Amino acid sequence: MKKISIIYGSSTDNTKAAAEQIAALLTEHAPEVLNVADCNADSFTSADFLILGTSTWGCGDLQDDWADMLDRLKGVDLSGKRVALFGLGDSSSFSDTFVDGMGELYEFFRDKNCQIFGSVSSDGYSFDASRALVDDEFVGLPLDSDNEDHLTQERISAWVKNLKPSL
Ligand SMILES: Cc1cc2nc3c(=O)[nH]c(=O)nc-3n(C[C@H](O)[C@H](O)[C@H](O)COP(=O)(O)O)c2cc1C
Protein backbone atom coordinates (compact mmCIF):
# COMPACT_ATOMS: atom_id res chain seq x y z
CA MET A 1 0.00 0.00 0.00
CA LYS A 2 1.19 3.53 -0.74
CA LYS A 3 2.35 5.38 2.32
CA ILE A 4 0.50 8.62 3.06
CA SER A 5 1.97 10.86 5.75
CA ILE A 6 0.10 13.83 7.18
CA ILE A 7 2.65 16.15 8.75
CA TYR A 8 1.49 19.22 10.67
CA GLY A 9 3.04 22.14 12.52
CA SER A 10 0.77 23.54 15.18
CA SER A 11 1.25 25.95 18.09
CA THR A 12 -2.20 25.84 19.71
CA ASP A 13 -3.42 22.52 18.23
CA ASN A 14 -5.79 23.88 15.56
CA THR A 15 -3.71 22.50 12.69
CA LYS A 16 -3.25 19.27 14.63
CA ALA A 17 -7.04 18.93 14.92
CA ALA A 18 -7.44 19.51 11.16
CA ALA A 19 -4.74 16.90 10.44
CA GLU A 20 -6.68 14.39 12.54
CA GLN A 21 -9.94 15.24 10.74
CA ILE A 22 -8.24 14.69 7.38
CA ALA A 23 -6.79 11.38 8.56
CA ALA A 24 -10.23 10.23 9.71
CA LEU A 25 -11.45 10.52 6.11
CA LEU A 26 -8.55 8.49 4.74
CA THR A 27 -8.65 5.44 7.02
CA GLU A 28 -8.55 3.09 4.00
CA HIS A 29 -5.01 4.39 3.40
CA ALA A 30 -4.02 4.15 7.10
CA PRO A 31 -2.16 7.47 6.95
CA GLU A 32 0.38 8.32 9.60
CA VAL A 33 -0.14 11.64 11.36
CA LEU A 34 3.05 13.31 12.52
CA ASN A 35 3.94 16.51 14.31
CA VAL A 36 6.66 18.17 12.24
CA ALA A 37 8.51 18.87 15.50
CA ASP A 38 9.06 15.08 15.78
CA CYS A 39 10.07 14.55 12.15
CA ASN A 40 13.34 14.18 10.30
CA ALA A 41 14.17 14.10 6.59
CA ASP A 42 13.22 10.39 6.40
CA SER A 43 9.65 11.29 7.40
CA PHE A 44 9.45 13.15 4.08
CA THR A 45 11.48 10.93 1.77
CA SER A 46 9.83 7.67 2.92
CA ALA A 47 6.25 8.74 2.09
CA ASP A 48 4.60 8.28 -1.31
CA PHE A 49 2.19 11.15 -0.70
CA LEU A 50 2.68 13.99 1.78
CA ILE A 51 -0.22 16.02 3.18
CA LEU A 52 1.40 19.00 4.88
CA GLY A 53 -0.32 21.48 7.18
CA THR A 54 0.82 24.68 8.83
CA SER A 55 -0.65 27.61 10.66
CA THR A 56 0.53 31.20 10.20
CA TRP A 57 1.97 33.31 13.02
CA GLY A 58 3.45 36.77 13.54
CA CYS A 59 2.54 38.70 10.44
CA GLY A 60 2.52 36.08 7.71
CA ASP A 61 5.17 33.82 9.26
CA LEU A 62 5.37 30.08 8.98
CA GLN A 63 4.68 28.11 12.17
CA ASP A 64 7.95 27.82 14.14
CA ASP A 65 8.50 24.05 13.92
CA TRP A 66 8.04 24.18 10.15
CA ALA A 67 10.61 26.96 9.84
CA ASP A 68 13.15 24.68 11.58
CA MET A 69 12.23 21.72 9.37
CA LEU A 70 12.56 23.64 6.10
CA ASP A 71 16.11 24.55 7.12
CA ARG A 72 16.84 20.87 7.66
CA LEU A 73 15.26 19.86 4.33
CA LYS A 74 17.27 22.33 2.27
CA GLY A 75 19.79 19.76 1.01
CA VAL A 76 17.33 16.85 0.73
CA ASP A 77 16.20 15.53 -2.67
CA LEU A 78 12.40 15.60 -2.82
CA SER A 79 11.98 15.89 -6.58
CA GLY A 80 8.83 14.27 -7.92
CA LYS A 81 7.34 13.85 -4.43
CA ARG A 82 3.57 14.20 -4.43
CA VAL A 83 2.34 16.83 -1.98
CA ALA A 84 -0.93 18.46 -0.88
CA LEU A 85 -1.13 21.41 1.50
CA PHE A 86 -3.54 22.77 4.08
CA GLY A 87 -3.23 25.90 6.19
CA LEU A 88 -4.87 27.37 9.26
CA GLY A 89 -5.24 31.12 9.54
CA ASP A 90 -7.43 33.97 10.70
CA SER A 91 -9.06 35.75 7.75
CA SER A 92 -10.52 38.49 9.95
CA SER A 93 -7.67 39.67 12.21
CA PHE A 94 -4.94 38.82 9.67
CA SER A 95 -6.76 39.56 6.45
CA ASP A 96 -3.60 40.78 4.67
CA THR A 97 -1.56 37.68 5.47
CA PHE A 98 -4.26 35.03 5.43
CA VAL A 99 -2.65 31.54 5.50
CA ASP A 100 0.64 32.98 4.23
CA GLY A 101 2.42 30.06 5.89
CA MET A 102 0.76 27.68 3.46
CA GLY A 103 2.07 29.89 0.65
CA GLU A 104 5.57 29.62 2.06
CA LEU A 105 5.32 25.81 2.21
CA TYR A 106 4.07 25.82 -1.37
CA GLU A 107 7.01 27.88 -2.59
CA PHE A 108 9.49 25.64 -0.79
CA PHE A 109 8.11 22.32 -2.08
CA ARG A 110 7.45 23.70 -5.57
CA ASP A 111 11.10 24.79 -5.73
CA LYS A 112 12.05 21.25 -4.63
CA ASN A 113 10.31 20.03 -7.81
CA CYS A 114 7.46 18.36 -5.92
CA GLN A 115 4.10 17.83 -7.61
CA ILE A 116 1.50 19.86 -5.73
CA PHE A 117 -2.13 18.69 -5.61
CA GLY A 118 -5.30 20.00 -4.00
CA SER A 119 -5.68 23.65 -5.02
CA VAL A 120 -8.90 25.35 -3.88
CA SER A 121 -11.01 28.17 -5.32
CA SER A 122 -10.92 31.38 -3.29
CA ASP A 123 -14.72 31.69 -3.68
CA GLY A 124 -16.38 31.66 -0.29
CA TYR A 125 -13.37 33.09 1.56
CA SER A 126 -13.26 36.71 2.69
CA PHE A 127 -9.77 38.24 3.06
CA ASP A 128 -7.62 40.99 1.54
CA ALA A 129 -4.39 39.26 0.55
CA SER A 130 -2.63 35.91 0.80
CA ARG A 131 0.77 34.55 -0.22
CA ALA A 132 -1.01 31.23 -0.74
CA LEU A 133 -2.80 32.43 -3.88
CA VAL A 134 -1.66 31.56 -7.39
CA ASP A 135 -3.88 32.89 -10.20
CA ASP A 136 -6.68 33.53 -7.71
CA GLU A 137 -6.66 29.94 -6.48
CA PHE A 138 -5.33 28.79 -3.13
CA VAL A 139 -2.41 26.40 -3.45
CA GLY A 140 -4.05 24.13 -0.87
CA LEU A 141 -6.93 24.06 1.59
CA PRO A 142 -7.32 27.19 3.76
CA LEU A 143 -9.12 26.73 7.09
CA ASP A 144 -10.12 29.38 9.60
CA SER A 145 -11.06 27.81 12.89
CA ASP A 146 -11.02 31.20 14.63
CA ASN A 147 -13.93 32.66 12.65
CA GLU A 148 -15.39 29.91 10.47
CA ASP A 149 -15.04 26.73 12.45
CA HIS A 150 -18.56 25.74 11.44
CA LEU A 151 -17.24 25.39 7.85
CA THR A 152 -14.13 23.38 8.68
CA GLN A 153 -15.57 19.88 8.49
CA GLU A 154 -17.35 20.46 5.18
CA ARG A 155 -14.30 22.17 3.68
CA ILE A 156 -12.12 19.24 4.71
CA SER A 157 -14.62 16.68 3.39
CA ALA A 158 -14.88 18.37 -0.03
CA TRP A 159 -11.10 18.72 -0.29
CA VAL A 160 -10.35 15.13 0.66
CA LYS A 161 -12.97 13.90 -1.79
CA ASN A 162 -11.28 15.84 -4.62
CA LEU A 163 -7.84 14.68 -3.53
CA LYS A 164 -8.63 10.96 -3.38
CA PRO A 165 -8.22 10.21 -7.11
CA SER A 166 -4.66 11.65 -6.91
CA LEU A 167 -3.58 9.56 -3.92
C1 LIG B 1 -0.11 36.38 17.35
C2 LIG B 1 -0.85 35.71 16.22
C3 LIG B 1 -0.44 35.97 14.92
C4 LIG B 1 -1.14 35.39 13.85
N1 LIG B 1 -0.79 35.71 12.55
C5 LIG B 1 -1.54 35.23 11.53
C6 LIG B 1 -1.27 35.63 10.18
O1 LIG B 1 -0.37 36.42 9.88
N2 LIG B 1 -2.06 35.11 9.18
C7 LIG B 1 -3.09 34.25 9.45
O2 LIG B 1 -3.77 33.81 8.52
N3 LIG B 1 -3.35 33.84 10.72
C8 LIG B 1 -2.61 34.32 11.76
N4 LIG B 1 -2.88 33.92 13.04
C9 LIG B 1 -3.97 32.96 13.29
C10 LIG B 1 -3.48 31.53 13.50
O3 LIG B 1 -2.79 31.04 12.37
C11 LIG B 1 -4.70 30.63 13.78
O4 LIG B 1 -5.21 30.94 15.04
C12 LIG B 1 -4.42 29.15 13.67
O5 LIG B 1 -5.64 28.45 13.77
C13 LIG B 1 -3.45 28.64 14.72
O6 LIG B 1 -3.21 27.29 14.43
P1 LIG B 1 -2.31 26.36 15.36
O7 LIG B 1 -3.00 26.25 16.68
O8 LIG B 1 -2.29 25.04 14.67
O9 LIG B 1 -0.94 26.96 15.44
C14 LIG B 1 -2.21 34.50 14.11
C15 LIG B 1 -2.58 34.25 15.44
C16 LIG B 1 -1.93 34.86 16.48
C17 LIG B 1 -2.41 34.58 17.88
Side-chain angles (χ1 to χ4, degrees):
M1 188 159 62
K2 284 189 182 158
K3 181 173 172 188
I4 298 179
S5 296
I6 302 173
I7 301 178
Y8 65 86
S10 188
S11 300
T12 60
D13 284 351
N14 292 337
T15 311
K16 178 183 183 188
E20 287 165 353
Q21 284 173 273
I22 292 167
L25 297 174
L26 291 171
T27 47
E28 70 272 30
H29 295 280
E32 79 182 348
V33 182
L34 301 168
N35 185 336
V36 71
D38 302 325
C39 286
N40 54 32
D42 281 352
S43 317
F44 290 79
T45 55
S46 67
D48 297 300
F49 199 103
L50 291 163
I51 299 178
L52 307 177
T54 186
S55 48
T56 299
W57 286 86
C59 200
D61 299 335
L62 195 56
Q63 194 271 343
D64 279 349
D65 301 312
W66 265 118
D68 291 344
M69 180 52 73
L70 295 194
D71 272 346
R72 288 155 64 194
L73 287 174
K74 267 185 189 144
V76 177
D77 181 8
L78 294 170
S79 49
K81 191 66 73 183
R82 295 151 67 80
V83 172
L85 302 169
F86 65 101
L88 274 283
D90 178 337
S91 58
S92 174
S93 304
F94 298 93
S95 185
D96 286 329
T97 54
F98 179 49
V99 295
D100 273 17
M102 181 167 73
E104 193 170 336
L105 282 192
Y106 170 77
E107 290 161 21
F108 182 88
F109 289 96
R110 175 201 63 194
D111 292 349
K112 283 269 178 203
N113 296 316
C114 295
Q115 285 181 266
I116 316 280
F117 297 84
S119 62
V120 168
S121 166
S122 57
D123 292 351
Y125 291 88
S126 178
F127 63 100
D128 288 323
S130 174
R131 183 172 172 175
L133 280 181
V134 172
D135 297 334
D136 277 345
E137 286 225 317
F138 284 109
V139 296
L141 174 68
L143 297 169
D144 181 348
S145 59
D146 295 306
N147 308 291
E148 299 177 335
D149 203 32
H150 56 293
L151 298 176
T152 295
Q153 185 62 56
E154 70 185 69
R155 283 173 169 168
I156 288 176
S157 299
W159 186 67
V160 169
K161 190 175 170 201
N162 285 339
L163 203 56
K164 276 192 177 179
S166 310
L167 297 175

Tab-separated table of all heavy atoms in Angstrom, residues 1-27:
chain	number	residue	atom	x	y	z
A	1	MET	N	0.846	-1.200	0.000
A	1	MET	CA	0.000	0.000	0.000
A	1	MET	C	0.883	1.253	0.000
A	1	MET	O	1.929	1.265	0.636
A	1	MET	CB	-0.896	0.002	1.245
A	1	MET	CG	-1.918	1.094	1.221
A	1	MET	SD	-3.328	0.795	2.318
A	1	MET	CE	-2.543	0.738	3.927
A	2	LYS	N	0.440	2.266	-0.727
A	2	LYS	CA	1.186	3.529	-0.742
A	2	LYS	C	1.156	4.167	0.644
A	2	LYS	O	0.137	4.126	1.326
A	2	LYS	CB	0.558	4.484	-1.746
A	2	LYS	CG	0.887	4.122	-3.168
A	2	LYS	CD	0.438	5.215	-4.108
A	2	LYS	CE	0.735	4.815	-5.538
A	2	LYS	NZ	-0.094	5.529	-6.498
A	3	LYS	N	2.272	4.762	0.989
A	3	LYS	CA	2.346	5.376	2.317
A	3	LYS	C	1.962	6.856	2.235
A	3	LYS	O	2.618	7.637	1.532
A	3	LYS	CB	3.764	5.227	2.865
A	3	LYS	CG	3.938	5.802	4.246
A	3	LYS	CD	5.302	5.483	4.793
A	3	LYS	CE	5.539	6.214	6.091
A	3	LYS	NZ	6.917	6.073	6.557
A	4	ILE	N	0.920	7.220	2.976
A	4	ILE	CA	0.504	8.618	3.059
A	4	ILE	C	0.878	9.154	4.437
A	4	ILE	O	0.510	8.553	5.456
A	4	ILE	CB	-1.016	8.764	2.842
A	4	ILE	CG1	-1.383	8.270	1.434
A	4	ILE	CG2	-1.462	10.214	3.040
A	4	ILE	CD1	-2.850	8.348	1.116
A	5	SER	N	1.610	10.242	4.468
A	5	SER	CA	1.967	10.864	5.746
A	5	SER	C	1.360	12.259	5.820
A	5	SER	O	1.508	13.060	4.887
A	5	SER	CB	3.485	10.956	5.898
A	5	SER	OG	4.038	9.665	5.944
A	6	ILE	N	0.672	12.499	6.914
A	6	ILE	CA	0.101	13.826	7.180
A	6	ILE	C	1.004	14.460	8.233
A	6	ILE	O	1.109	13.953	9.357
A	6	ILE	CB	-1.346	13.707	7.689
A	6	ILE	CG1	-2.216	12.958	6.676
A	6	ILE	CG2	-1.923	15.098	7.975
A	6	ILE	CD1	-3.624	12.634	7.164
A	7	ILE	N	1.671	15.521	7.849
A	7	ILE	CA	2.651	16.154	8.753
A	7	ILE	C	2.177	17.583	9.030
A	7	ILE	O	1.945	18.359	8.102
A	7	ILE	CB	4.055	16.153	8.122
A	7	ILE	CG1	4.487	14.706	7.822
A	7	ILE	CG2	5.054	16.847	9.043
A	7	ILE	CD1	5.855	14.575	7.153
A	8	TYR	N	2.023	17.897	10.327
A	8	TYR	CA	1.488	19.218	10.674
A	8	TYR	C	2.445	19.954	11.607
A	8	TYR	O	3.179	19.341	12.394
A	8	TYR	CB	0.105	19.087	11.339
A	8	TYR	CG	0.170	18.374	12.669
A	8	TYR	CD1	0.446	19.076	13.852
A	8	TYR	CD2	0.007	16.995	12.754
A	8	TYR	CE1	0.548	18.429	15.068
A	8	TYR	CE2	0.107	16.334	13.969
A	8	TYR	CZ	0.378	17.060	15.120
A	8	TYR	OH	0.493	16.411	16.326
A	9	GLY	N	2.401	21.288	11.521
A	9	GLY	CA	3.045	22.144	12.518
A	9	GLY	C	1.958	22.973	13.169
A	9	GLY	O	1.147	23.600	12.476
A	10	SER	N	1.915	22.960	14.492
A	10	SER	CA	0.766	23.543	15.183
A	10	SER	C	1.194	24.088	16.533
A	10	SER	O	1.830	23.385	17.314
A	10	SER	CB	-0.291	22.436	15.374
A	10	SER	OG	-1.487	22.954	15.874
A	11	SER	N	0.842	25.343	16.814
A	11	SER	CA	1.254	25.950	18.087
A	11	SER	C	0.162	25.896	19.137
A	11	SER	O	0.453	25.859	20.337
A	11	SER	CB	1.681	27.408	17.857
A	11	SER	OG	2.771	27.444	16.958
A	12	THR	N	-1.106	25.916	18.734
A	12	THR	CA	-2.195	25.839	19.714
A	12	THR	C	-3.197	24.726	19.332
A	12	THR	O	-4.365	24.772	19.708
A	12	THR	CB	-2.937	27.192	19.846
A	12	THR	OG1	-3.499	27.570	18.579
A	12	THR	CG2	-2.003	28.292	20.307
A	13	ASP	N	-2.706	23.770	18.556
A	13	ASP	CA	-3.424	22.520	18.232
A	13	ASP	C	-4.545	22.636	17.197
A	13	ASP	O	-5.217	21.643	16.928
A	13	ASP	CB	-3.980	21.843	19.505
A	13	ASP	CG	-2.884	21.148	20.301
A	13	ASP	OD1	-1.746	21.046	19.780
A	13	ASP	OD2	-3.155	20.715	21.427
A	14	ASN	N	-4.744	23.805	16.586
A	14	ASN	CA	-5.789	23.883	15.556
A	14	ASN	C	-5.395	23.091	14.302
A	14	ASN	O	-6.223	22.368	13.727
A	14	ASN	CB	-6.069	25.341	15.169
A	14	ASN	CG	-6.716	26.120	16.301
A	14	ASN	OD1	-7.330	25.542	17.190
A	14	ASN	ND2	-6.567	27.430	16.284
A	15	THR	N	-4.163	23.226	13.885
A	15	THR	CA	-3.706	22.497	12.691
A	15	THR	C	-3.620	21.003	12.983
A	15	THR	O	-3.915	20.165	12.119
A	15	THR	CB	-2.341	23.051	12.222
A	15	THR	OG1	-2.437	24.480	12.152
A	15	THR	CG2	-1.955	22.520	10.856
A	16	LYS	N	-3.257	20.687	14.212
A	16	LYS	CA	-3.250	19.274	14.632
A	16	LYS	C	-4.655	18.675	14.501
A	16	LYS	O	-4.836	17.579	13.976
A	16	LYS	CB	-2.768	19.168	16.083
A	16	LYS	CG	-2.776	17.763	16.616
A	16	LYS	CD	-2.358	17.720	18.080
A	16	LYS	CE	-2.316	16.279	18.552
A	16	LYS	NZ	-2.112	16.172	19.994
A	17	ALA	N	-5.651	19.423	14.976
A	17	ALA	CA	-7.040	18.930	14.917
A	17	ALA	C	-7.465	18.733	13.464
A	17	ALA	O	-8.100	17.722	13.121
A	17	ALA	CB	-7.972	19.918	15.618
A	18	ALA	N	-7.092	19.657	12.582
A	18	ALA	CA	-7.442	19.515	11.163
A	18	ALA	C	-6.740	18.296	10.565
A	18	ALA	O	-7.341	17.545	9.785
A	18	ALA	CB	-7.065	20.787	10.401
A	19	ALA	N	-5.483	18.077	10.941
A	19	ALA	CA	-4.741	16.902	10.444
A	19	ALA	C	-5.476	15.625	10.839
A	19	ALA	O	-5.599	14.683	10.036
A	19	ALA	CB	-3.322	16.912	11.005
A	20	GLU	N	-5.981	15.590	12.060
A	20	GLU	CA	-6.681	14.386	12.535
A	20	GLU	C	-8.022	14.209	11.810
A	20	GLU	O	-8.427	13.084	11.503
A	20	GLU	CB	-6.847	14.452	14.053
A	20	GLU	CG	-5.504	14.207	14.745
A	20	GLU	CD	-5.457	14.591	16.213
A	20	GLU	OE1	-6.439	15.192	16.713
A	20	GLU	OE2	-4.431	14.291	16.865
A	21	GLN	N	-8.684	15.332	11.500
A	21	GLN	CA	-9.944	15.242	10.738
A	21	GLN	C	-9.675	14.724	9.317
A	21	GLN	O	-10.464	13.930	8.783
A	21	GLN	CB	-10.627	16.616	10.671
A	21	GLN	CG	-11.318	17.007	11.971
A	21	GLN	CD	-11.834	18.448	11.904
A	21	GLN	OE1	-11.107	19.396	12.208
A	21	GLN	NE2	-13.063	18.624	11.496
A	22	ILE	N	-8.595	15.179	8.718
A	22	ILE	CA	-8.235	14.693	7.376
A	22	ILE	C	-7.929	13.197	7.433
A	22	ILE	O	-8.425	12.407	6.623
A	22	ILE	CB	-7.035	15.502	6.818
A	22	ILE	CG1	-7.459	16.947	6.530
A	22	ILE	CG2	-6.463	14.838	5.563
A	22	ILE	CD1	-6.311	17.914	6.278
A	23	ALA	N	-7.148	12.803	8.432
A	23	ALA	CA	-6.786	11.382	8.564
A	23	ALA	C	-8.022	10.503	8.731
A	23	ALA	O	-8.092	9.396	8.188
A	23	ALA	CB	-5.841	11.203	9.749
A	24	ALA	N	-9.015	11.013	9.449
A	24	ALA	CA	-10.228	10.233	9.711
A	24	ALA	C	-11.005	9.941	8.433
A	24	ALA	O	-11.789	8.989	8.386
A	24	ALA	CB	-11.111	10.974	10.711
A	25	LEU	N	-10.767	10.738	7.391
A	25	LEU	CA	-11.452	10.518	6.111
A	25	LEU	C	-10.629	9.663	5.154
A	25	LEU	O	-11.045	9.405	4.027
A	25	LEU	CB	-11.770	11.866	5.450
A	25	LEU	CG	-12.736	12.766	6.232
A	25	LEU	CD1	-12.854	14.121	5.552
A	25	LEU	CD2	-14.106	12.098	6.357
A	26	LEU	N	-9.445	9.268	5.617
A	26	LEU	CA	-8.545	8.488	4.742
A	26	LEU	C	-8.158	7.161	5.386
A	26	LEU	O	-7.087	6.621	5.104
A	26	LEU	CB	-7.273	9.315	4.456
A	26	LEU	CG	-7.454	10.544	3.574
A	26	LEU	CD1	-6.183	11.390	3.559
A	26	LEU	CD2	-7.826	10.127	2.157
A	27	THR	N	-9.033	6.642	6.240
A	27	THR	CA	-8.651	5.442	7.018
A	27	THR	C	-8.291	4.270	6.113
A	27	THR	O	-7.474	3.428	6.492
A	27	THR	CB	-9.773	5.031	7.980
A	27	THR	OG1	-11.002	5.038	7.251
A	27	THR	CG2	-9.876	5.986	9.146
